[in-house]
């Protein structure tokens, strides 16, 4: 099949493997489903059954696609990319949260490679202007003896129609085709994503998080702006100053105190580089 044919429909393992540039990611098992509840849930179960590192689980549609912070991920059939990758990093468990930024940089780089320059909003929202085009859900499992695994789930709205978004997300979401006015090849984007993910993950394995943070900074669009950050039941208002060397967000409040946020969501911000408003920003 022509990998650049945007109209190619169902994603199949043999088409994905054809001229795939990775060394190991996706070179062994690729599971392609028409419909699953969540590719992350499938991946968790396969990983527990000892699936090898680099196994890919992909679905044309998800009935219960999961997002961060307990949200759902709308996954209409054959328009988006919904995939999960099984990774088995041998690094210290406390370094694994860095993998969300690794995946964000990989997804942004892949979208960039197909000709759309995205932005990143901490921790790993993939944005076009003030609208979200993709997101990442990483889930880890390990104990003291077992090095365990990490599931990296990636969702990208590729050819998604605005009518597929829920009423509450319609003003906050976009797709690559909506932005470009063209149908985008899911297959070509998927292959580039796997290639980028393998490359950035290899850097992570070499403990080169500095290089990953540098790339993340090249895509971010909100540092230096005032933000509202939600974590648990708490809300923090301040200026998003930077990320620290672990990828946590540093926010300076109006009293000058710097707060370190490890997990949360930016629910309001100004997109600095494009001067566009951010998702969830109100008029
Ligand atoms: C977010 O931004 O909230 C994260 C969204 C992650 C969605 C992807 S789609 C493939 C994988 N399977 C899931 O159930 N979720 C992730």
């Amino acid at each position: 099949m022509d990998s650049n044919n945007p109209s190619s429909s169902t994603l199949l393992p043999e088409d994905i493997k054809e001229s795939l540039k990775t060394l190991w990611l996706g070179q062994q098992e690729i599971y392609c489903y028409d419909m699953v509840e969540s590719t992350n849930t499938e991946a968790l179960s396969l990983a527990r059954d000892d699936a090898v590192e680099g196994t890919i689980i992909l679905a044309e549609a998800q009935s219960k696609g999961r997002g961060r912070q307990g949200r759902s991920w709308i996954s209409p059939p054959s328009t988006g990319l919904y995939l999960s990758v099984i990774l088995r990093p041998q690094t210290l468990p406390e370094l694994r949260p860095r993998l969300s930024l690794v995946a964000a940089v990989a997804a942004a780089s892949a979208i960039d490679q197909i000709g759309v320059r995205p932005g990143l909003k901490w921790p790993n929202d993939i944005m076009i202007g003030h609208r979200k085009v993709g997101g990442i859900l990483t889930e880890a499992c390990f104990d003291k003896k077992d090095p365990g695994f990490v599931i990296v789930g990636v969702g990208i709205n590729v050819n998604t129609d605005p009518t597929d978004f829920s009423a509450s997300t319609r003003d906050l979401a976009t797709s690559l085709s909506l932005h470009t006015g063209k149908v985008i090849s899911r297959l070509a984007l998927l292959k580039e994503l796997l290639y980028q993910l393998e490359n950035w993950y290899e850097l992570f394995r070499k403990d080169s998080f500095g290089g990953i943070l540098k790339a993340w900074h090249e895509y971010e669009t909100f540092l230096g702006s005032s933000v509202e950050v939600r974590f648990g039941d708490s809300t923090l208002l301040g200026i998003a100053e930077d990320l620290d060397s672990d990828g946590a967000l540093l926010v300076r409040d109006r009293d000058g105190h710097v707060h370190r946020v490890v997990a949360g969501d930016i629910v309001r911000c100004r997109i600095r580089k494009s001067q566009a408003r951010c998702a969830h920003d109100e008029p």
Side-chain angles (χ1 to χ4, degrees), residues 224-253:
S225 314
S226 49
V227 290
E228 180 179 333
V229 185
R230 253 180 231 155
F231 45 101
D233 294 335
S234 309
T235 297
L236 173 66
L237 293 173
I239 303 292
E241 296 234 304
D242 205 349
L243 301 195
D244 71 7
S245 57
D246 287 322
L249 179 65
L250 302 175
V251 179
R252 184 179 296 274
D253 68 20

Short mmCIF file of all heavy atoms in Angstrom, two decimals, residues 224-253:
data_model
loop_
_atom_site.label_atom_id
_atom_site.label_comp_id
_atom_site.label_asym_id
_atom_site.label_seq_id
_atom_site.Cartn_x
_atom_site.Cartn_y
_atom_site.Cartn_z
N GLY A 224 6.30 31.79 30.94
CA GLY A 224 6.36 33.25 31.07
C GLY A 224 4.98 33.87 31.16
O GLY A 224 4.84 35.05 31.44
N SER A 225 3.94 33.08 30.91
CA SER A 225 2.56 33.61 30.94
C SER A 225 1.92 33.31 32.29
O SER A 225 2.36 32.43 33.03
CB SER A 225 1.70 32.92 29.88
OG SER A 225 2.36 32.86 28.67
N SER A 226 0.83 34.05 32.57
CA SER A 226 0.10 33.70 33.79
C SER A 226 -0.75 32.47 33.53
O SER A 226 -1.30 32.30 32.43
CB SER A 226 -0.74 34.87 34.30
OG SER A 226 -1.48 35.39 33.25
N VAL A 227 -0.80 31.62 34.52
CA VAL A 227 -1.49 30.34 34.37
C VAL A 227 -2.35 30.05 35.59
O VAL A 227 -2.12 30.59 36.68
CB VAL A 227 -0.51 29.15 34.20
CG1 VAL A 227 0.20 29.19 32.88
CG2 VAL A 227 0.49 29.06 35.36
N GLU A 228 -3.35 29.21 35.37
CA GLU A 228 -4.10 28.62 36.48
C GLU A 228 -3.84 27.14 36.39
O GLU A 228 -4.09 26.52 35.35
CB GLU A 228 -5.59 28.93 36.33
CG GLU A 228 -6.41 28.35 37.45
CD GLU A 228 -7.90 28.69 37.29
OE1 GLU A 228 -8.23 29.73 36.67
OE2 GLU A 228 -8.72 27.87 37.74
N VAL A 229 -3.29 26.56 37.45
CA VAL A 229 -2.94 25.14 37.45
C VAL A 229 -3.82 24.43 38.46
O VAL A 229 -3.98 24.89 39.59
CB VAL A 229 -1.46 24.91 37.82
CG1 VAL A 229 -1.08 23.46 37.69
CG2 VAL A 229 -0.54 25.76 36.96
N ARG A 230 -4.41 23.32 38.02
CA ARG A 230 -5.22 22.52 38.95
C ARG A 230 -4.52 21.21 39.24
O ARG A 230 -4.07 20.53 38.32
CB ARG A 230 -6.59 22.25 38.34
CG ARG A 230 -7.61 23.08 39.04
CD ARG A 230 -8.99 22.89 38.52
NE ARG A 230 -9.52 24.22 38.22
CZ ARG A 230 -10.46 24.46 37.36
NH1 ARG A 230 -11.00 23.49 36.68
NH2 ARG A 230 -10.87 25.69 37.16
N PHE A 231 -4.42 20.86 40.52
CA PHE A 231 -3.89 19.56 40.90
C PHE A 231 -4.71 19.08 42.09
O PHE A 231 -4.84 19.78 43.08
CB PHE A 231 -2.39 19.61 41.21
CG PHE A 231 -1.96 20.76 42.06
CD1 PHE A 231 -1.70 20.56 43.40
CD2 PHE A 231 -1.83 22.03 41.53
CE1 PHE A 231 -1.31 21.62 44.21
CE2 PHE A 231 -1.45 23.10 42.34
CZ PHE A 231 -1.18 22.91 43.68
N GLY A 232 -5.32 17.91 41.93
CA GLY A 232 -6.24 17.43 42.95
C GLY A 232 -7.35 18.45 43.12
O GLY A 232 -7.93 18.92 42.15
N ASP A 233 -7.62 18.83 44.37
CA ASP A 233 -8.67 19.82 44.63
C ASP A 233 -8.11 21.23 44.71
O ASP A 233 -8.84 22.18 44.99
CB ASP A 233 -9.37 19.50 45.97
CG ASP A 233 -10.13 18.18 45.90
OD1 ASP A 233 -10.51 17.80 44.77
OD2 ASP A 233 -10.30 17.54 46.95
N SER A 234 -6.82 21.37 44.46
CA SER A 234 -6.20 22.69 44.63
C SER A 234 -6.04 23.42 43.31
O SER A 234 -5.93 22.80 42.25
CB SER A 234 -4.81 22.53 45.25
OG SER A 234 -4.88 21.75 46.38
N THR A 235 -6.02 24.73 43.42
CA THR A 235 -5.78 25.58 42.25
C THR A 235 -4.66 26.55 42.60
O THR A 235 -4.61 27.05 43.72
CB THR A 235 -7.06 26.39 41.92
OG1 THR A 235 -8.07 25.46 41.59
CG2 THR A 235 -6.84 27.30 40.73
N LEU A 236 -3.81 26.78 41.63
CA LEU A 236 -2.69 27.68 41.85
C LEU A 236 -2.67 28.71 40.73
O LEU A 236 -2.76 28.35 39.55
CB LEU A 236 -1.39 26.85 41.85
CG LEU A 236 -0.06 27.57 41.89
CD1 LEU A 236 0.10 28.32 43.22
CD2 LEU A 236 1.08 26.56 41.73
N LEU A 237 -2.56 29.99 41.09
CA LEU A 237 -2.47 31.05 40.09
C LEU A 237 -1.06 31.62 40.14
O LEU A 237 -0.51 31.81 41.22
CB LEU A 237 -3.45 32.17 40.39
CG LEU A 237 -4.94 31.83 40.26
CD1 LEU A 237 -5.78 33.00 40.78
CD2 LEU A 237 -5.27 31.55 38.81
N GLY A 238 -0.49 31.89 39.00
CA GLY A 238 0.85 32.49 39.01
C GLY A 238 1.42 32.55 37.62
O GLY A 238 0.71 32.41 36.62
N ILE A 239 2.72 32.77 37.59
CA ILE A 239 3.43 32.82 36.30
C ILE A 239 4.16 31.50 36.13
O ILE A 239 4.89 31.07 37.02
CB ILE A 239 4.47 33.98 36.28
CG1 ILE A 239 3.80 35.34 36.58
CG2 ILE A 239 5.22 34.01 34.95
CD1 ILE A 239 2.85 35.82 35.52
N ALA A 240 3.95 30.86 34.97
CA ALA A 240 4.68 29.61 34.68
C ALA A 240 6.11 29.99 34.34
O ALA A 240 6.36 30.60 33.30
CB ALA A 240 4.02 28.89 33.51
N GLU A 241 7.03 29.69 35.26
CA GLU A 241 8.40 30.16 35.07
C GLU A 241 9.20 29.23 34.17
O GLU A 241 9.87 29.66 33.26
CB GLU A 241 9.09 30.26 36.41
CG GLU A 241 8.45 31.30 37.30
CD GLU A 241 9.44 32.30 37.81
OE1 GLU A 241 10.43 31.87 38.42
OE2 GLU A 241 9.22 33.51 37.58
N ASP A 242 9.14 27.94 34.50
CA ASP A 242 9.98 27.00 33.74
C ASP A 242 9.64 25.58 34.20
O ASP A 242 8.79 25.39 35.07
CB ASP A 242 11.47 27.28 34.01
CG ASP A 242 12.37 26.80 32.86
OD1 ASP A 242 11.85 26.07 31.98
OD2 ASP A 242 13.56 27.12 32.87
N LEU A 243 10.32 24.60 33.62
CA LEU A 243 10.31 23.25 34.16
C LEU A 243 11.60 23.07 34.92
O LEU A 243 12.62 23.67 34.58
CB LEU A 243 10.25 22.20 33.04
CG LEU A 243 9.09 22.23 32.05
CD1 LEU A 243 9.03 20.93 31.28
CD2 LEU A 243 7.77 22.47 32.75
N ASP A 244 11.59 22.22 35.96
CA ASP A 244 12.86 21.91 36.60
C ASP A 244 13.50 20.73 35.88
O ASP A 244 12.96 20.23 34.88
CB ASP A 244 12.71 21.69 38.12
CG ASP A 244 12.00 20.40 38.47
OD1 ASP A 244 11.74 19.58 37.56
OD2 ASP A 244 11.72 20.20 39.67
N SER A 245 14.64 20.28 36.39
CA SER A 245 15.39 19.26 35.65
C SER A 245 14.68 17.91 35.62
O SER A 245 15.05 17.01 34.87
CB SER A 245 16.79 19.10 36.26
OG SER A 245 16.64 18.79 37.61
N ASP A 246 13.59 17.76 36.43
CA ASP A 246 12.80 16.52 36.38
C ASP A 246 11.55 16.66 35.54
O ASP A 246 10.76 15.72 35.43
CB ASP A 246 12.38 16.10 37.80
CG ASP A 246 13.56 15.57 38.57
OD1 ASP A 246 14.40 14.88 37.95
OD2 ASP A 246 13.66 15.86 39.77
N GLY A 247 11.29 17.85 35.01
CA GLY A 247 10.09 18.05 34.19
C GLY A 247 8.91 18.56 34.99
O GLY A 247 7.81 18.68 34.45
N ALA A 248 9.10 18.88 36.30
CA ALA A 248 8.00 19.46 37.09
C ALA A 248 7.86 20.94 36.70
O ALA A 248 8.83 21.60 36.34
CB ALA A 248 8.30 19.32 38.58
N LEU A 249 6.61 21.45 36.82
CA LEU A 249 6.34 22.84 36.44
C LEU A 249 6.59 23.77 37.64
O LEU A 249 6.13 23.49 38.75
CB LEU A 249 4.88 22.96 35.98
CG LEU A 249 4.41 24.36 35.56
CD1 LEU A 249 5.15 24.84 34.31
CD2 LEU A 249 2.90 24.34 35.30
N LEU A 250 7.31 24.86 37.39
CA LEU A 250 7.59 25.83 38.45
C LEU A 250 6.71 27.05 38.22
O LEU A 250 6.76 27.69 37.16
CB LEU A 250 9.07 26.23 38.42
CG LEU A 250 10.05 25.05 38.58
CD1 LEU A 250 11.50 25.53 38.40
CD2 LEU A 250 9.88 24.36 39.94
N VAL A 251 5.87 27.35 39.21
CA VAL A 251 4.93 28.46 39.10
C VAL A 251 5.20 29.45 40.24
O VAL A 251 5.22 29.07 41.41
CB VAL A 251 3.46 27.95 39.20
CG1 VAL A 251 2.48 29.11 39.09
CG2 VAL A 251 3.18 26.92 38.11
N ARG A 252 5.40 30.73 39.87
CA ARG A 252 5.63 31.78 40.89
C ARG A 252 4.30 32.46 41.21
O ARG A 252 3.66 33.00 40.30
CB ARG A 252 6.65 32.80 40.37
CG ARG A 252 7.03 33.87 41.39
CD ARG A 252 8.05 34.83 40.83
NE ARG A 252 9.32 34.16 40.54
CZ ARG A 252 10.30 33.96 41.42
NH1 ARG A 252 10.16 34.40 42.65
NH2 ARG A 252 11.41 33.34 41.07
N ASP A 253 3.89 32.41 42.46
CA ASP A 253 2.62 33.04 42.82
C ASP A 253 2.82 34.53 43.02
O ASP A 253 3.93 35.04 42.96
CB ASP A 253 1.95 32.34 44.02
CG ASP A 253 2.72 32.54 45.32
OD1 ASP A 253 3.53 33.50 45.40
OD2 ASP A 253 2.53 31.74 46.25
#
